[in-house]
Amino acid sequence: MSTIALIDCNNYYVSCERAFDASLAGVPVVVASNNDGCAIARSAEAKALGVKMGDPIHLIRDRLTKHGVVVRSSNYTLYGDMQRRVVAAVEEFASEVEIYSIDETFLDLEPFVDRDLVDHANAMRDQVRRWTTIPTCVGIAPTKTLAKLANAAAKKNPLFDGVADLRDPRLRSWVLDRFPAADVWGVGRATAAKLADLGITTAGQIRDMQLKQARSVGTVVLERLVAELQGVAASAVEVVEPQRRGMAVTRSFGMPVHDIETLMGAVAQYAMRAGEKLRQHGLVAGQLTVFFHTNRFKTGAGQYQGARRMGLHPMTSDSLELLAAARRGVEAAWRDGYAYTKAGIMLDELVAADLRPRTLFEGDVGRRERLMTALDEVNGRFGKLTAVPAAQGFKRDWKMRAENRSPAWTTRIDQVPLVLAD
DNA sequence: TCTGGGGTCCTAGGACCC
DNA sequence: TCTGGGGTCCTAGGACCC
């Protein structure tokens, strides 16, 4: 039986904002999604005020103002950089480390089982705090699903004081019997409803399902979930990143777009960014999808979704090739007379660039590769959007809102916070 | 005026083949 | 009454995650 821990940062985006801004301590803070649309992270104080995950900011604006809630635009550069530091702080406490999401890491604790693992986990949390200021919780259990559940218990139940070790079967059962089925990792709305119809409302009841029944109610996914709750691992801590299957750059607009030129400008920028992302990961794509659509929340308004899938032959990470394909797609799918609010580029059939199938007549790819390298260097050194194709346009009215974005405290030397000594 | 952006995995069903 | 019986491959869409 293995020993797996999940360490999860509390209110991660808010904690990152607080790391460099003392004025946010103790006050309610909300971090908004891109375009300042929804609440996607809330401090404990904001949660206490009833701000829910995904609440549209513009619908709760009055309440936020009334209670003095600070709203920050999301700053993914900061959160990504802080994650590196969290992972670095955690590494010496585990034999294997799997970065699961921007604020969660699975750890293999098998070599440490002779120690008191609660002490071990607390030492790890202290180190993360010292290195990053970020508070965390830890769940320990024999499988990933149980470690996730243990982590949630550590967060919710003050009894655990931030670390829940559920290796003991009796304690584990006690927690599972009180844990809502709908909150189990892998149980979403649809599955929760099906389970409820069968009278299954706790994690303990899911654990007690027959595997065959689980499979017929859900799919092989639910069957594996039941096994994991029974303590039988269906997935291990994986250090190596799996090969990426797809990649996307999509954004809502700050204001509706009505004409094709403006839309092309936005799509051009997304295509350039998509190429940059491919090159950063050393990949090429075989297929590009471009899409754009109207505001689906707006009833009564004309709705249209345009999309085109384009093959990329040869497979490429060349931004200008992506741009050309995307433009053809937009031209083919365009309809006049609608107010478009979002567009995006998706890339599929990703392959490592050095394994890319060669084609005849692909010409002097070396020259274009050097151009792309130069482009990445310029934009890396002087800031994004320093060198852009003219197609991207210079008036960017559509660009998303981010009215309260924190500075690049950790990734731009000119924005590093200063500590002034008396 | 105003509701995010990115991923993964699984299954059903159609197209096509012999 | 009853109208073959497999395969494979691909895609769309659902469900879930953070």
Side-chain angles (χ1 to χ4, degrees):
Chain A
M1 189 164 291
S2 46
T3 306
I4 296 172
L6 177 72
I7 182 165
D8 178 315
C9 301
N10 302 348
N11 315 329
Y12 181 60
Y13 297 171
V14 170
S15 298
C16 288
E17 297 290 334
R18 281 177 167 165
F20 294 95
D21 188 344
S23 76
L24 299 180
V27 303
V29 181
V30 162
V31 174
S33 63
N34 269 329
N35 221 25
D36 294 343
C38 305
I40 52 167
R42 307 149 294 150
S43 71
E45 301 81 2
K47 285 177 190 170
L49 290 171
V51 180
K52 298 277 184 300
M53 184 74 176
D55 274 354
I57 300 285
H58 77 272
L59 294 182
I60 59 169
R61 176 70 69 184
D62 291 347
R63 194 145 45 97
L64 298 177
T65 313
K66 189 172 136 208
H67 292 101
V69 179
V70 178
V71 178
R72 281 289 169 86
S73 305
S74 36
N75 183 344
Y76 292 101
T77 313
L78 173 66
Y79 312 148
D81 189 58
M82 291 296 279
Q83 177 189 31
R84 273 187 25 238
R85 295 159 199 252
V86 171
V87 172
V90 145
E91 263 167 346
E92 67 184 83
F93 292 89
S95 57
E96 312 275 15
V97 169
E98 175 187 337
I99 299 171
Y100 171 65
S101 76
I102 195 155
D103 67 338
E104 291 168 280
T105 302
F106 283 108
L107 310 163
D108 185 345
L109 296 191
E110 201 52 37
F112 300 93
V113 288
D114 293 342
R115 305 186 187 182
D116 181 326
L117 286 187
V118 174
D119 287 350
H120 183 75
N122 276 318
M124 173 166 71
R125 295 170 74 211
D126 286 345
Q127 175 134 309
V128 173
R129 263 238 201 239
R130 279 198 308 277
W131 290 18
T132 67
T133 78
I134 291 176
T136 56
C137 285
V138 175
I140 303 166
T143 66
K144 283 177 156 181
T145 305
L146 285 168
K148 276 286 272 190
L149 194 147
N151 189 287
K155 266 199 180 145
K156 268 197 286 197
N157 193 335
L159 207 74
F160 290 114
D161 202 20
V163 180
D165 178 357
L166 297 190
R167 285 175 300 160
D168 174 68
R170 283 188 49 220
L171 177 60
R172 186 154 81 227
S173 275
W174 187 85
V175 171
L176 261 64
D177 288 341
R178 284 157 186 77
F179 198 93
D183 294 350
V184 173
W185 188 38
V187 176
R189 243 187 23 216
T191 307
K194 276 192 218 164
L195 291 173
D197 286 347
L198 298 168
I200 296 172
T201 57
T202 70
Q205 289 174 294
I206 301 181
R207 173 203 56 204
D208 295 339
M209 288 175 81
Q210 298 293 318
L211 292 179
K212 262 181 71 182
Q213 186 196 15
R215 191 166 197 140
S216 67
V217 172
T219 63
V220 64
V221 179
L222 187 62
E223 185 182 355
R224 290 201 282 246
L225 194 156
V226 170
E228 286 246 327
L229 287 181
Q230 291 172 353
V232 180
S235 114
V237 176
E238 300 277 2
V239 192
V240 282
E241 264 183 72
Q243 160 76 49
R244 259 164 110 82
R245 314 196 55 97
M247 198 178 267
V249 178
T250 72
R251 295 280 179 282
S252 294
F253 304 136
M255 52 175 58
V257 165
H258 298 91
D259 63 288
I260 191 168
E261 288 75 25
T262 310
L263 186 76
M264 285 286 194
V267 165
Q269 182 174 316
Y270 305 162
M272 297 305 283
R273 174 66 191 133
E276 194 177 72
K277 256 170 103 169
L278 278 176
R279 297 190 294 277
Q280 277 166 3
H281 288 86
L283 297 168
V284 292
Q287 182 174 279
L288 175 149
T289 304
V290 59
F291 73 85
F292 49 93
H293 61 70
T294 48
N295 182 358
R296 66 184 191 283
F297 296 105
K298 206 162 165 181
T299 51
Q303 297 283 338
Y304 177 66
Q305 310 176 28
R308 284 295 183 278
R309 210 175 55 226
M310 323 291 288
L312 299 168
H313 314 290
M315 302 178 88
T316 187
S317 62
D318 186 315
S319 295
L320 298 177
E321 297 287 347
L322 302 182
L323 172 53
R327 290 181 70 90
R328 287 197 307 276
V330 171
E331 270 159 17
W334 176 260
R335 294 270 194 293
D336 272 322
Y338 292 94
Y340 296 108
T341 54
K342 180 170 175 174
I345 301 259
M346 298 189 290
L347 300 169
D348 287 293
E349 295 176 6
L350 305 188
V351 172
D354 44 8
L355 299 177
R356 170 175 65 104
R358 304 285 160 168
T359 59
L360 235 42
F361 313 118
E362 60 181 29
D364 183 4
V365 286
R367 196 168 151 266
R368 281 297 274 272
E369 277 170 15
R370 289 193 296 279
L371 173 62
M372 289 301 125
T373 304
L375 188 69
D376 292 341
E377 277 175 11
V378 168
N379 289 333
R381 193 175 316 167
F382 301 107
K384 283 178 182 164
L385 305 183
T386 302
V388 303
Q392 202 168 303
F394 298 99
K395 243 178 74 199
R396 301 187 7 261
D397 295 338
W398 46 267
K399 73 174 191 298
M400 69 181 186
R401 284 183 298 272
E403 282 165 8
N404 299 290
R405 172 121 76 208
S406 47
W409 282 307
T410 62
T411 51
R412 289 283 302 269
I413 191 69
D414 55 322
Q415 296 180 16
V416 165
L418 298 178
V419 177
L420 301 175
D422 291 330

